[in-house]
Amino acid sequence: MKNNIESVIKKIKLEIKKHNYLYYVLNKPKISDLSYDILFKKLSYLKKKNKFFKKKKNIFGNKKNFKLTHHHSKMLSLENTFSIEGMFNFYKKVLAILKKKKIKFCGELKYDGVAVNLIYKNRTLYSAAMRGNGEIGENITKNIKFLPSIPKFLNNKKFPNFLEIRGEIYIYKKKFHKLNKQNVKNKKLIFSTARNLAAGSLRQKNYKISKNRNLIFVCHGFNFFKEFNDIKYFENNSFYNILKKIKHVGFYISKKIRLLNSFEDIKKFYKYIKRKRKSIPFEIDGIVIKINSLKSQKLIGYNNKFPKWALALKFLNQSKTSTLLHVNFEVGRTGVITPVAIFKPIKISGVLIQKASLFNYNYIKNLNLYYKDTIIVQRSGDVIPKIIGVIFDRRKKNFKKVKFLRKCPSCHTNLISEKNKNIYYCNNGFFCISQKKKKILHFFSKNAIEILGFRKNIILQLIKNKILNNPSDIFKLKKKNFLNVKKVSVKTINLILNQINNMNSISLERFIFSLGILGVGKEASKKISKHCVTFEKFLNLFYKNYTKKFFLKIPGIGINICKNIYNFLSNSKNKKIISLFKKFIF
Ligand code: IVH
């Protein structure tokens, strides 16, 4: 049903487009105004009926201020690679498809701006729209009308009278920094990137603001249509030559465009632009390589997302490649397993790094990571190293996939999964060797059950000497247990033992926090203790009468936290520890 409506909508849209063209461009309408209106009404009725269409509209969120415009042909994205090998594979592939030994490519900058589609009817600017969902975009005609880089009329009669011009709107880096400086001073909005500033400027309802932002439009594409036009002037031209013609009618085309005759040329162009990147006054994030012959472009064609005749080779930001050697699965205090990648040491901005967190299950899955892979490492915010990608072209057949563990690497208990199997954790708490130290230290930390003088180095030595295996072992502590503990005075030992022997009250809030249950930090402990008031009620609620519905009554405590508490309390060893503290909790 839905598909049917969609195809009818498509047909009517095409019809309307055809009649628009006949009416506006050729001045030769073929149907009456009434028939045209009926067509339009039919379309809007079907659009309303079709939820699918509504969904598409929603992508524009609250930008209701803008009218929407249909791009005549879909605005596609670009496939990209981060490596020369990736580019070489593209090169080989297209030569093989075209059955040629040599072809020409057009090398361009990859502008980091906002994609814009311009429509010219009768060689007059008719509309300008942002990409939107590729088919429909926000109409920004008013905002761009005064850009000197966008001609309003195309002063060449040989130009087709229906034409789409594609390009990017950007702003100079200098202008971006200057405006941000001013905005800091005036306590106004700060833009995170020059691209955001350009997009924000185009979306201004008050187009005078857009006017003062010195936006620049650079053309990197075009579409002309045989069915509407006399296209002789463009036909049989190459991509590069048409760009030159477009330049002559007043568009801005980058000076850095090159015709490239071989893979050597592509490599040289990439290296040249990479070297020049800093001195280019606007942001670029790579180069784009396109097949130059339009005939060949047509032959190779498109897929749903990209043209198959172009590829972007992107630069890496403060990043380098390395080889993945190993993945360590570390067990945190709350039992959460964090995978950590260990790779061949590399220097990024002067710092030697060799490991980076892989965060969780999905992160590894999305990277599609294999041992021995060539990985791309970036220092995010120039501090924390992060693996942002894999160079798949360097993967060999014998490499093995990185798999997430199902058992705790420390105590071999089966791991429990959470958040749609994205986070895995070990529920063995104090009885998992890896968690033990961190958990006991947390148990006696400042906001938990603090014992004056019971310092980190003393606790660690008692754990090492196997005297302290879990927090409740403090009740067995005697003076003699401190015999092998270094750097502790008799006075401190007495202070510690006195506090333990005279322990009489622990607040429920601190006790819940001290257990170090996943997701149960200070705030959650406060909320739970406020709600439960007594330890008995806490046990009843989270263990004995555990029901999903009931928890929803504690604001801010979600089902995942409740499950974690339930799992913790279900562990008989944990229950035993708790029972020893029970009498002190109020
Ligand atoms: S060609 C139909 N050429 O990058 C192919 N796009 O990441 C797409 N972009 O949406 C247009 N510089 O907005 C082309 N020299 C260039 C480009 C370029 C930047 C943008 C474009 C596209 C995006 C994909």
Side-chain angles (χ1 to χ4, degrees):
M1 169 80 175
K2 208 164 97 178
N3 279 342
N4 216 347
I5 294 183
E6 271 167 43
S7 69
V8 178
I9 286 178
K10 236 183 191 170
K11 266 189 197 160
I12 298 180
K13 271 188 203 159
L14 276 177
E15 274 249 59
I16 290 177
K17 239 180 207 174
K18 189 178 91 191
H19 291 299
N20 277 347
Y21 175 69
L22 289 166
Y23 183 89
Y24 292 109
V25 181
L26 298 185
N27 244 333
K28 284 182 191 157
K30 276 199 176 157
I31 53 171
S32 69
D33 286 0
L34 182 68
S35 313
Y36 182 83
D37 279 348
I38 291 171
L39 256 184
F40 230 99
K41 282 200 176 120
K42 205 168 162 188
L43 178 67
S44 63
Y45 166 73
L46 288 172
K47 275 180 184 175
K48 260 187 212 156
K49 209 170 160 187
N50 188 10
K51 277 184 195 148
F52 161 81
F53 189 83
K54 272 188 193 157
K55 249 193 220 160
K56 274 213 270 187
K57 266 195 165 176
N58 281 345
I59 65 151
F60 301 103
N62 55 3
K63 287 147 208 143
K64 287 178 210 140
N65 297 334
F66 282 88
K67 279 189 196 163
L68 301 177
T69 295
H70 268 267
H71 308 306
H72 195 81
S73 35
K74 200 171 168 183
M75 282 183 88
L76 296 170
S77 189
L78 272 173
E79 186 141 37
N80 64 51
T81 177
F82 284 96
S83 69
I84 297 273
E85 284 93 337
M87 182 53 81
F88 186 60
N89 287 343
F90 164 79
Y91 174 81
K92 275 196 310 196
K93 204 165 92 188
V94 294
L95 282 182
I97 298 172
L98 297 170
K99 296 193 181 100
K100 292 218 164 140
K101 282 200 173 132
K102 225 178 160 189
I103 56 168
K104 278 190 179 131
F105 292 89
C106 187
E108 297 171 23
L109 301 178
K110 183 159 188 328
Y111 312 95
D112 194 7
V114 183
V116 168
N117 186 40
L118 307 175
I119 293 183
Y120 284 83
K121 286 185 180 178
N122 276 343
R123 290 173 289 275
T124 306
L125 178 65
Y126 177 78
S127 72
M130 298 217 249
R131 185 174 182 277
N133 65 2
E135 286 174 18
I136 316 162
E138 293 145 276
N139 186 310
I140 50 162
T141 318
K142 273 190 181 168
N143 303 63
I144 56 93
K145 266 210 160 150
F146 32 75
L147 295 197
S149 44
I150 298 185
K152 307 315 159 272
F153 307 99
L154 309 178
N155 285 331
N156 182 344
K157 287 215 170 113
K158 290 178 195 157
F159 256 61
N161 47 14
F162 186 91
L163 180 65
E164 271 187 319
I165 295 283
R166 295 266 156 97
E168 213 78 4
I169 286 189
Y170 60 78
I171 202 160
Y172 274 179
K173 290 188 256 189
K174 261 191 188 162
K175 178 83 189 165
F176 159 69
H177 292 303
K178 197 173 155 194
L179 193 85
N180 262 355
K181 254 189 196 167
Q182 277 172 7
N183 282 6
V184 170
K185 242 190 200 169
N186 303 329
K187 296 198 171 124
K188 280 191 183 164
L189 194 71
I190 307 294
F191 295 94
S192 56
T193 58
R195 184 177 191 274
N196 278 352
L197 172 57
S201 309
L202 288 173
R203 287 203 175 98
Q204 288 292 333
K205 214 180 156 193
N206 175 0
Y207 57 87
K208 280 187 189 144
I209 297 182
S210 327
K211 189 178 175 180
N212 295 329
R213 292 263 167 97
N214 301 100
L215 299 166
I216 298 162
F217 175 83
V218 59
C219 166
H220 56 53
F222 46 82
N223 290 303
F224 50 95
F225 308 89
K226 219 175 192 160
E227 63 270 35
F228 293 164
N229 284 306
D230 172 11
I231 55 165
K232 265 184 229 132
Y233 187 60
F234 275 5
E235 223 173 18
N236 301 324
N237 270 277
S238 68
F239 186 83
Y240 183 77
N241 283 343
I242 295 181
L243 279 189
K244 273 212 272 189
K245 286 183 170 170
I246 287 175
K247 188 179 169 188
H248 279 122
V249 290
F251 283 101
Y252 171 59
I253 308 283
S254 167
K255 289 183 196 89
K256 295 258 184 302
I257 289 192
R258 296 281 184 279
L259 262 184
L260 309 166
N261 291 308
S262 63
F263 189 68
E264 252 332 285
D265 279 359
I266 294 177
K267 257 190 352 196
K268 268 190 206 156
F269 179 66
Y270 169 71
K271 284 184 183 158
Y272 165 70
I273 298 297
K274 205 173 166 190
R275 254 197 337 268
K276 289 271 169 199
R277 187 181 183 186
K278 265 199 180 153
S279 63
I280 294 174
F282 46 87
E283 296 286 0
I284 59 164
D285 57 354
I287 59 160
V288 183
I289 299 296
K290 297 171 184 171
I291 293 180
N292 192 39
S293 146
L294 292 188
K295 247 190 206 159
S296 303
Q297 283 189 6
K298 208 169 166 192
L299 218 134
I300 286 189
Y302 301 83
N303 64 26
N304 250 345
K305 289 184 187 159
F306 322 112
K308 290 193 276 185
W309 42 261
L311 185 71
L313 175 50
K314 296 205 356 178
F315 300 136
L316 298 165
N317 266 336
Q318 281 303 324
S319 49
K320 276 196 180 154
T321 56
S322 177
T323 308
L324 178 70
L325 300 174
H326 184 61
V327 175
N328 272 347
F329 288 87
E330 293 179 358
V331 192
R333 174 174 60 76
T334 54
V336 171
I337 310 293
T338 308
V340 178
I342 312 292
F343 44 85
K344 273 192 188 158
I346 40 168
K347 244 185 187 178
I348 303 183
S349 13
V351 180
L352 198 71
I353 46 176
Q354 52 194 329
K355 60 181 186 174
S357 176
L358 291 166
F359 306 104
N360 50 45
Y361 178 86
N362 282 343
Y363 197 81
I364 295 182
K365 197 176 143 203
N366 293 339
L367 277 175
N368 182 9
L369 197 61
Y370 280 59
Y371 292 103
K372 296 191 188 168
D373 261 347
T374 303
I375 50 174
I376 303 158
V377 187
Q378 196 173 65
R379 285 181 74 204
S380 60
D382 247 10
V383 187
I384 305 153
K386 197 173 167 187
I387 298 178
I388 56 155
V390 170
I391 300 183
F392 296 116
D393 306 282
R394 290 196 199 154
R395 181 176 290 164
K396 303 238 166 76
K397 270 190 184 148
N398 60 348
F399 289 8
K400 287 199 173 105
K401 198 172 181 142
V402 175
K403 285 188 182 152
F404 211 95
L405 297 183
R406 293 287 181 256
K407 283 185 192 298
C408 173
S410 173
C411 69
H412 311 293
T413 314
N414 283 337
L415 298 176
I416 297 178
S417 69
E418 223 199 38
K419 295 197 177 156
N420 296 329
K421 305 209 162 151
N422 189 24
I423 286 173
Y424 283 81
Y425 76 99
C426 163
N427 188 33
N428 208 10
F430 296 106
F431 302 92
C432 167
I433 306 154
S434 290
Q435 288 176 68
K436 189 161 77 179
K437 258 194 224 165
K438 295 171 193 166
K439 267 191 163 342
I440 295 178
L441 283 171
H442 171 77
F443 196 94
F444 297 111
S445 66
K446 209 172 162 201
N447 294 309
I449 299 168
E450 192 182 17
I451 296 174
L452 291 176
F454 208 31
R455 293 188 309 265
K456 187 177 170 182
N457 76 317
I458 301 172
I459 297 174
L460 286 179
Q461 289 183 72
L462 290 171
I463 295 172
K464 197 176 160 204
N465 299 343
K466 299 211 162 71
I467 286 162
L468 212 56
N469 291 306
N470 71 66
S472 65
D473 284 342
I474 55 162
F475 299 118
K476 296 185 213 155
L477 274 182
K478 300 209 167 52
K479 266 190 188 163
K480 65 171 188 199
N481 297 130
F482 288 86
L483 274 177
N484 293 325
V485 176
K486 290 169 199 153
K487 289 186 183 167
V488 62
S489 64
V490 178
K491 206 173 146 191
T492 307
I493 297 170
N494 286 337
L495 176 73
I496 295 168
L497 292 177
N498 266 341
Q499 286 172 88
I500 295 170
N501 292 335
N502 296 320
M503 192 176 279
N504 53 21
S505 68
I506 300 169
S507 80
L508 180 60
E509 183 184 328
R510 275 178 179 258
F511 186 70
I512 296 172
F513 176 65
S514 73
L515 299 175
I517 302 168
L518 178 61
V520 189
K522 259 172 84 179
E523 278 307 306
S525 308
K526 199 176 193 169
K527 283 172 189 158
I528 295 168
S529 63
K530 238 183 178 173
H531 184 86
C532 296
V533 186
T534 67
F535 184 66
E536 252 340 286
K537 200 170 164 204
F538 168 71
L539 267 191
N540 275 336
L541 193 61
F542 286 91
Y543 180 57
K544 287 184 192 152
N545 306 323
Y546 178 86
T547 65
K548 282 179 191 168
K549 270 186 196 162
F550 198 82
F551 300 122
L552 302 174
K553 288 187 181 169
I554 313 180
I557 304 298
I559 190 70
N560 279 333
I561 290 186
C562 298
K563 249 192 234 161
N564 296 344
I565 301 175
Y566 173 80
N567 284 334
F568 182 88
L569 297 173
S570 310
N571 184 322
S572 60
K573 295 174 198 163
N574 286 339
K575 263 197 292 193
K576 214 170 164 188
I577 299 170
I578 289 176
S579 69
L580 290 167
F581 283 92
K582 206 167 136 186
K583 58 181 175 201
F584 306 117
I585 304 165
F586 73 102

